Every structure is written in C-alpha cells, then in structure tokens.
C-alpha cells in the first residue's frame, strides 16, 4: 500500500506539469527492503508515460562497498518489459596530486613551485577526496595556518 500511495502522490505532482529531482545518497548502506521500495516506486511511476518524463532520480553510492542488493537494484532499471529509464553511470575518482596542485595554484594565484609542498601535504592527508581537500584548505585558512601576507603580496604558510 505504501508503494501505491507514494507512486500516486508522485504521479499526481508530476501530472500538474511539475518536475521532481529526487536525490538519495549513500545507497550502499540501504537495506534490501528500502531498495525494493525505491525500485517499486520508480517502476510504478515509469508506467505513467507523461509523468516519467518529469522525474529525475539520482542515486549515489560508494562503489567500494556495494552489496548484492544494490547491484540488483541498479541493474533493475533497464529490464522488465523494455527500458524503464535512461540510466547513466557516472564514476567519480579522487583528485590526483596534480589536480590538487592545480586547484591550489588557481585559488591562491601562485606558481607551482610555491604550492607543490603544501599540495603534497594536503593530498596525503585527504587521499585526494575533493570535499576533504576543500575542507582542509578552508580550515587552514580559518586557523590562519594559511594567510595573506601584504608584505609578500601573496598567500603564505609555514613551510
């Protein structure tokens, strides 16, 4: 009944010429029941040809921790009597050391030789995870480990 009600609610909203962008993160930790519920709802909405054009579902998960339930969930959208949805698989990788160097060079407007050592430390501490790189750099600026030096006319940090 829950699937029926949620499907009808979403189809009703979508039929009013509204668009829905539904995002769910960390699907690798979802249990099989939740994945089945999401799948059933999306399959039910796919039977409304006009409404399904107005729904975008983005499911995100870490591919290093994928269960068999998640694998069957992600593969279920291209079967069952034809294509249910257009599925695009986007894999995001971590930042390389060169990416971190480029990021710091761009943000601080400094040449490579001045940021290489800082970028190496940042890359090693964050393992190239983009969000952690930004958070670490912001915290270094907040606690004045990195600061702007009017004397040098550039950003400076203790090397």
């Amino acid at each position: 009944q829950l699937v029926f009600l949620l499907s009808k609610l979403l189809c009703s909203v979508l039929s009013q010429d509204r668009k829905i962008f539904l995002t769910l993160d960390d699907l690798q930790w979802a249990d099989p029941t939740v994945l089945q519920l999401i799948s059933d709802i999306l399959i039910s909405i796919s039977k409304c040809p006009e409404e399904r054009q107005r729904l975008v579902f983005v499911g995100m998960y870490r591919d290093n921790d994928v269960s068999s339930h998640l694998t069957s969930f992600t593969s279920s959208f291209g079967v069952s009597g034809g294509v249910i949805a257009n599925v695009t698989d986007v894999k995001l990788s971590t930042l390389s050391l060169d990416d971190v160097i480029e990021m710091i060079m761009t943000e601080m407007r400094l040449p490579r030789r001045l940021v290489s050592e800082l970028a190496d430390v940042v890359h090693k501490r964050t393992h190239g995870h983009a969000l952690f790189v930004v958070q670490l750099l912001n915290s270094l600026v907040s606690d004045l480990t990195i600061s702007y030096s009017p004397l040098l006319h550039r950003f400076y940090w203790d090397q």
Side-chain angles (χ1 to χ4, degrees), residues 30-42:
D31 64 27
T33 308
V34 171
L35 292 173
Q36 188 61 51
L37 175 69
I38 296 166
S39 179
D40 290 346
I41 291 169
L42 293 174

Side-chain angles (χ1 to χ4, degrees), residues 42-44 46-47 52 76-87:
L42 293 174
I43 289 169
S44 179
S46 74
K47 294 175 183 169
R52 82 179 196 182
S76 69
F77 295 106
V79 293
S80 186
V83 174
I84 295 171
N86 295 326
V87 177

Side-chain angles (χ1 to χ4, degrees), residues 9-103:
L9 175 66
L10 288 172
C11 280
S12 176
V13 170
L14 292 167
S15 70
Q16 299 300 312
D17 206 22
R18 302 266 186 199
K19 294 178 172 74
I20 295 177
F21 187 87
L22 180 61
T23 306
L24 296 176
D25 194 8
D26 291 330
L27 287 175
Q28 75 275 7
W29 292 321
D31 64 27
T33 308
V34 171
L35 292 173
Q36 188 61 51
L37 175 69
I38 296 166
S39 179
D40 290 346
I41 291 169
L42 293 174
I43 289 169
S44 179
I45 292 172
S46 74
K47 294 175 183 169
C48 308
E50 291 296 316
E51 287 79 2
R52 82 179 196 182
Q53 300 294 323
R54 297 185 195 102
L55 173 69
V56 174
F57 171 74
V58 177
M60 295 170 279
Y61 60 92
R62 296 172 193 209
D63 62 356
N64 61 347
D65 195 13
V66 175
S67 67
S68 61
H69 306 293
L70 185 58
T71 303
S72 62
F73 171 77
T74 57
S75 63
S76 69
F77 295 106
V79 293
S80 186
V83 174
I84 295 171
N86 295 326
V87 177
T88 303
D89 191 18
V90 178
K91 292 186 187 270
L92 302 177
S93 61
T94 58
L95 299 173
S96 68
L97 176 58
D98 282 337
D99 294 332
V100 175
I101 289 172
E102 190 68 35
M103 177 188 264

